[in-house]
Amino acid sequence: MRDWVTEKILPKVEKPTRYLGTEWNAVHKPWDDVAVKMAFAFPDVYEVGMSHLGLRILYGLVNEQKDMLMERVFAPWVDMEEMLRQYNLPLFTLESYRPLSEFDVVGFTLQYEMSYTNVLNMLNLAGIPLRSIDRTSKHPLIIAGGPCALNPEPLADFIDIFLLGESEELLLEVLAVIKKNKKNGLRADRDRVMEEVVKIPGVYVPAFYDVTYQEGKFKKIEPNRPGVPKRIKKRVVADLDKAYFPTNPIVPFMEIVHDRIMLEVLRGCTRGCRFCQAGIIYRPVRERSPQTLLKQAEELVRKTGHDEISLTSLSTTDYSCIEPLINRLVNIYGEQGVGISLPSLRADAFSVGLAEEIQRVRKTGLTFAPEAGTQRLRDVINKGVTEEALLEAAQAAFSAGWTSIKLYFMIGLPTETEKDLEGIAELARKVVELGQKTLKEQGVRKRVKVTVSVSSFVPKPHTPLQWEPQDEIEVLKKKQSYLKSLLRDRHITYNWHAAEVSFLEAVFAKGDRQLGKVLEAAWRKGCKFDSWTEHFRFQSWLDAFKECNVDPGFYAHRKIKYDEVLPWDHIDVGVTKKYLIREHQKALRGEITGDCRFVNCPGCGICSRFGVAVVQKGGDTRNAAVKNRIY
C-alpha cells in the first residue's frame, strides 16, 4: 500500500511529507512479532500533532516495550481525505501504512474541544463505526485521554474507554489487559477488556454508567453494574525524575509548529488563576532536577540535531532552578549555536538576569500574559501580576536587546467593565513607550513592536469560574471592536479569536451526553477542522443544534447554581468542589489567593487526597510554610 500511495496519491497532495512516516527516529517494529498494536491518533494535521509533547512521551514509552507497538495517525488534510475517499482507501498509520481497523487500540488525544468533529471524521475514514454501541470485537477499542477527557460526556457515545490524568502512568496497564485477553493472535473480546480495565484507577468506561436528565438538565450519573466506581480519580505521576521521558523523539522532515527540543522542567501550576483549567487538573507542582534535565538535554541534542531547546511547562519561570539551569545550558550548548527559549512568561518572575542569560546565544520571542487590563480584574481572576511587574519585565527585555514583545489578554471575564478593556490598550501603549525610551537611550534605531493577542473567556470544567456564563457572541464582538478602536497604533498589532469558535468551545467544554447527537449531525453536515478559520462552518453548527432540538446557549450562557449537579462531577481531579466554590466567591469579591509554594496551603485537596506532594528542586528559598513539599 505504501508504494501505491507514494506513487499515485502523494504527488497530488499539499505537503506530502506529512504522510511519509520515515522520519529520523521513527519506530518500525515487525508487525507479527508484537502482541499489542496501538495507533496514536491526533485529531489535527501532522504539523500540530508532531509538536505535542504527550505524543512524544507515549510513543517512546510504548515502543520501548518488547511486546507492544505504537504508530501514528493524524487527521489528513482535506486534499488527502479527498484522495482517500476517491480511491476507497482506509485511513492508515504512517509507520506501517496499515489501516486503523487492524490495530487493537486506536487512542485519541483530546487537547481542544474544536477537534471533536475530526475524531468522528477519522473514525469514518478508517471504516470504524462512530458509536461505541455499534462496534464489535472485530473493531479496535477506541480510547481517549488528554485535558478534554476530564469532561468526557460530549464524546461518551463515541469513545469506549477514557484514560483520566497523566497517561504515562496508566496506558501500559490498559494495554497489558488487552494483551492478556488476546488468544492465538486474535483481537481481545472488547466486553471482557472493558470489564477488566474499568477496575484500573483512572479508567472511565461511559457505557457502564447511566445518565438521568430532568427538564433538560443533567440530574445524575450512576454505574449500571457492580464493581464500577461512582467517581473516577485521575492518575498522577508522583516523581518526574523517575517518570519516562523520551530522549530520541522523531525529527520531522518538514517544519512543524514547535520544531525544537522540548525539555519539560516541571508539571503543574499552583498560581491559582481562576479561569485556567490546566492549573487545576495538572496539580500539584512537580519539578525535575537540574541533573536529570541536563542529562536529557545532552541526549536530545545528540539524537535530534535541533538548534533550540524549549524549556516547557505551564509556568517555566517558576522553576526553582531556572537561572542556574539556563546558565548551564547556555555554557554547554551556546558555542554549538543551540539557543534556549521559554514559552509564555509570568511578568513577575522574569528578571534582568534571566533575560541576559537567554539572549546570550540567540533571542527568541518573548510573550507575557497579563490576561486582564486592570489590577481589579487581575485580582478577580487571581492572576496576581501587577502593572509594575509587567513594566519591569518589559524594561528588562528591552534593555537586553529585545524589540518585540507579545501580550496575551482575555475579554469577557466575569465582572468586566469598559474600563477593563481600556486598561488593555493603556497597558500596551505603556509597553510601547517604555520600549521606545529604552531603545533611544541605548542608541538603538529599531522599531518597537507590541503584539496584543486577545481571546474570549471560556468557562472551563473543574475551575472556580465553571459556574459563570460566557458573554453572548454579539457582546464579545462589540468588545473586540471597541478594543480595536483603542489600539490604533503603528507599533501595535492586534489579534483576536473568532467569538463563534469560543462559543462552541464553551458549549462542548461544559456539555453533557445530549451533545453527542449534535456533534454527529454537525459532522454529517461537513463540519471538521473547526479550529481552522477557512473550514469553520458556524451556520452548519447552528443547523445541527436546531435539527437535534438542543439549545447551545443553555450550556454557554447560563449561570449555574452551586447545588446543580454538573456533567463532570463524577470525575475526580483531586481539587475539591468546596475549594472551587470558595475560590469563586473570592473572585466575585476581588480577593486573591496565594500560591501554596510561597504561602500557606489554601486547601485545594490534591496533596492530602491523592497522596502526592509539591516537589521543588531548588530548596525553600522563599521561606514558605508548606507541609506537603519535597526538596
Side-chain angles (χ1 to χ4, degrees):
M1 183 170 166
R2 179 186 291 275
D3 291 341
W4 195 89
V5 170
T6 303
E7 182 181 343
K8 300 290 185 182
I9 292 183
L10 295 192
K12 300 177 183 176
V13 301
E14 181 186 348
K15 299 182 181 180
T17 45
R18 285 170 169 161
Y19 313 104
L20 291 179
T22 53
E23 310 97 314
W24 184 254
N25 290 334
V27 178
H28 297 81
K29 284 191 170 183
W31 184 263
D32 293 330
D33 294 350
V34 179
V36 180
K37 292 101 173 175
M38 175 174 173
F40 186 104
F42 197 96
D44 210 317
V45 291
Y46 177 93
E47 301 93 294
V48 179
M50 283 302 296
S51 302
H52 176 50
L53 181 60
L55 186 157
R56 299 184 190 192
I57 292 173
L58 296 180
Y59 185 82
L61 176 67
V62 173
N63 282 323
E64 283 203 356
Q65 313 306 310
K66 186 179 177 182
D67 49 2
M68 298 175 184
L69 70 76
M70 178 180 279
E71 300 187 355
R72 297 161 295 149
V73 60
F74 302 90
W77 192 240
V78 288
D79 56 352
M80 185 63 171
E81 177 183 343
E82 187 180 334
M83 288 287 133
L84 293 176
R85 293 194 188 280
Q86 179 182 333
Y87 290 102
N88 199 27
L89 291 173
L91 186 60
F92 53 84
T93 58
L94 299 188
E95 282 79 0
S96 67
Y97 269 47
R98 286 179 181 271
L100 299 195
S101 58
E102 292 187 12
F103 286 76
D104 298 300
V105 183
V106 176
F108 286 91
T109 182
L110 305 173
Q111 298 295 315
Y112 183 38
E113 291 83 357
M114 301 312 292
S115 69
Y116 288 176
T117 49
N118 277 7
V119 172
L120 270 57
N121 201 43
M122 291 172 75
L123 289 174
N124 177 260
L125 278 168
I128 298 171
L130 298 186
R131 291 180 175 263
S132 176
I133 198 171
D134 295 327
R135 295 181 202 125
T136 69
S137 290
K138 294 179 180 177
H139 303 111
L141 281 159
I142 306 301
I143 70 175
C148 293
L150 294 170
N151 177 20
E153 294 309 301
L155 286 174
D157 292 340
F158 312 105
I159 303 296
D160 299 320
I161 299 169
F162 285 98
L163 309 188
L164 308 180
E166 294 164 346
S167 289
E168 67 262 56
E169 187 77 2
L170 177 58
L171 179 59
L172 294 183
E173 295 175 31
V174 172
L175 296 182
V177 171
I178 293 169
K179 177 188 170 189
K180 188 186 79 174
N181 282 280
K182 289 189 74 171
K183 293 178 180 174
N184 302 320
L186 299 177
R187 184 172 279 136
D189 181 272
R190 59 189 283 111
D191 292 334
R192 181 173 296 175
V193 169
M194 289 196 288
E195 287 171 0
E196 286 195 34
V197 298
V198 79
K199 298 172 184 172
I200 299 173
V203 170
Y204 172 54
V205 179
F208 293 172
Y209 294 78
D210 290 333
V211 177
T212 305
Y213 296 91
Q214 187 174 43
E215 297 177 352
K217 285 185 181 177
F218 187 94
K219 184 180 179 185
K220 64 180 179 180
I221 181 168
E222 292 182 318
N224 56 24
R225 63 194 65 200
V228 177
K230 284 189 175 181
R231 294 194 81 204
I232 307 98
K233 283 187 172 183
K234 73 167 185 179
R235 293 288 289 271
V236 186
V237 174
D239 187 344
L240 282 192
D241 275 341
K242 294 178 182 175
Y244 174 81
F245 193 80
T247 53
N248 59 339
I250 295 170
V251 182
F253 290 145
M254 62 183 294
E255 186 176 354
I256 61 174
V257 175
H258 298 302
D259 201 6
R260 60 189 76 118
I261 289 170
M262 286 192 277
L263 204 57
E264 187 187 30
V265 297
L266 65 88
R267 202 173 289 182
C269 175
T270 45
R271 289 285 188 173
C273 299
R274 291 173 177 134
F275 60 87
C276 180
Q277 187 188 51
I280 295 291
I281 65 176
Y282 290 114
R283 290 186 179 205
V285 168
R286 293 145 290 157
E287 296 185 349
R288 277 198 168 89
S289 68
Q291 295 80 10
T292 300
L293 292 167
L294 289 168
K295 185 178 177 184
Q296 290 175 349
E298 179 187 359
E299 291 186 50
L300 283 161
V301 170
R302 179 163 51 85
K303 293 178 179 177
T304 67
H306 282 302
D307 61 359
E308 182 179 338
I309 299 173
S310 175
L311 304 181
T312 64
S313 75
L314 290 173
S315 184
T316 297
T317 45
D318 281 340
Y319 178 53
S320 59
C321 308
I322 186 67
E323 289 198 28
L325 175 67
I326 290 178
N327 181 270
R328 287 290 305 277
L329 289 172
V330 172
N331 285 341
I332 296 171
Y333 300 108
E335 292 184 356
Q336 301 175 33
V338 177
I340 310 298
S341 65
L342 304 177
S344 174
L345 303 168
R346 280 191 66 92
D348 54 356
F350 187 77
S351 67
V352 175
L354 194 57
E356 290 174 346
E357 288 293 347
I358 297 171
Q359 61 84 42
R360 277 172 57 194
V361 178
R362 184 175 61 245
K363 290 185 182 64
T364 53
L366 274 187
T367 302
F368 298 107
E371 308 290 1
T374 62
Q375 194 60 50
R376 185 202 66 81
L377 195 53
R378 285 194 290 274
D379 288 346
V380 168
I381 61 175
N382 204 44
K383 186 64 186 180
V385 174
T386 64
E387 179 178 307
E388 182 183 11
L390 176 66
L391 294 178
E392 284 179 1
Q395 173 80 61
F398 289 130
S399 298
W402 272 273
T403 59
S404 175
I405 288 178
K406 291 182 183 176
L407 301 174
Y408 283 161
F409 293 95
M410 208 179 291
I411 60 170
L413 288 161
T415 77
E416 183 181 68
T417 65
E418 205 169 81
K419 191 174 180 182
D420 297 308
L421 299 177
E422 292 162 356
I424 293 175
E426 289 172 16
L427 202 51
R429 277 196 293 271
K430 286 180 181 177
V431 173
V432 170
E433 289 167 5
L434 184 65
Q436 289 174 319
K437 181 184 174 194
T438 306
L439 295 191
K440 186 178 179 181
E441 288 172 353
Q442 294 180 332
V444 178
R445 303 185 66 181
K446 289 184 179 176
R447 180 174 165 182
V448 172
K449 180 182 175 186
V450 173
T451 300
V452 175
S453 184
V454 177
S455 62
S456 300
F457 167 62
V458 176
K460 291 277 188 173
H462 305 291
T463 69
L465 301 184
Q466 64 183 355
W467 293 280
E468 288 291 329
Q470 185 184 56
D471 276 350
E472 297 205 4
I473 290 175
E474 290 310 312
V475 174
L476 289 174
K477 286 186 172 181
K478 284 181 181 176
K479 290 181 177 180
Q480 290 169 342
S481 296
Y482 182 52
L483 201 48
K484 185 178 180 181
S485 71
L486 298 173
L487 288 170
R488 286 182 180 144
D489 185 312
R490 65 190 183 93
H491 297 281
I492 298 175
T493 302
Y494 171 49
N495 301 318
W496 66 94
H497 292 187
E500 293 87 349
V501 175
S502 299
F503 168 63
L504 285 180
E505 189 182 342
V507 171
F508 280 93
K510 298 206 291 185
D512 55 32
R513 291 192 187 187
Q514 296 184 105
L515 293 180
K517 58 188 176 186
V518 179
L519 184 61
E520 184 172 346
W523 169 73
R524 292 195 185 283
K525 292 177 184 299
C527 292
K528 58 189 173 188
F529 285 111
D530 294 298
S531 59
W532 293 72
T533 304
E534 64 268 43
H535 292 291
F536 183 57
R537 301 182 180 186
F538 189 53
Q539 188 56 50
S540 296
W541 274 103
L542 294 180
D543 293 344
F545 281 109
K546 187 175 181 181
E547 181 179 301
C548 298
N549 197 27
V550 172
D551 174 16
F554 173 82
Y555 298 96
H557 297 149
R558 188 171 59 92
K559 193 174 182 77
I560 302 173
K561 295 180 178 176
Y562 292 141
D563 60 358
E564 185 172 326
V565 179
L566 303 172
W568 53 92
D569 274 350
H570 59 298
I571 305 299
D572 187 351
V573 299
V575 175
T576 64
K577 202 168 184 179
K578 186 178 176 183
Y579 169 81
L580 296 179
I581 291 173
R582 194 163 66 234
E583 281 298 295
H584 181 232
Q585 293 170 339
K586 289 178 75 173
L588 298 180
R589 295 195 299 268
E591 297 175 7
I592 59 172
T593 297
D595 187 331
C596 70
R597 285 168 296 180
F598 314 136
V599 297
N600 289 331
C601 170
C604 76
I606 180 70
C607 293
S608 58
R609 297 181 62 245
F610 278 53
V612 291
V614 173
V615 180
Q616 287 184 284
K617 299 297 183 180
D620 191 4
T621 57
R622 308 184 196 208
N623 195 30
V626 181
K627 291 180 181 177
N628 293 302
R629 178 174 293 185
I630 297 172
Y631 301 112

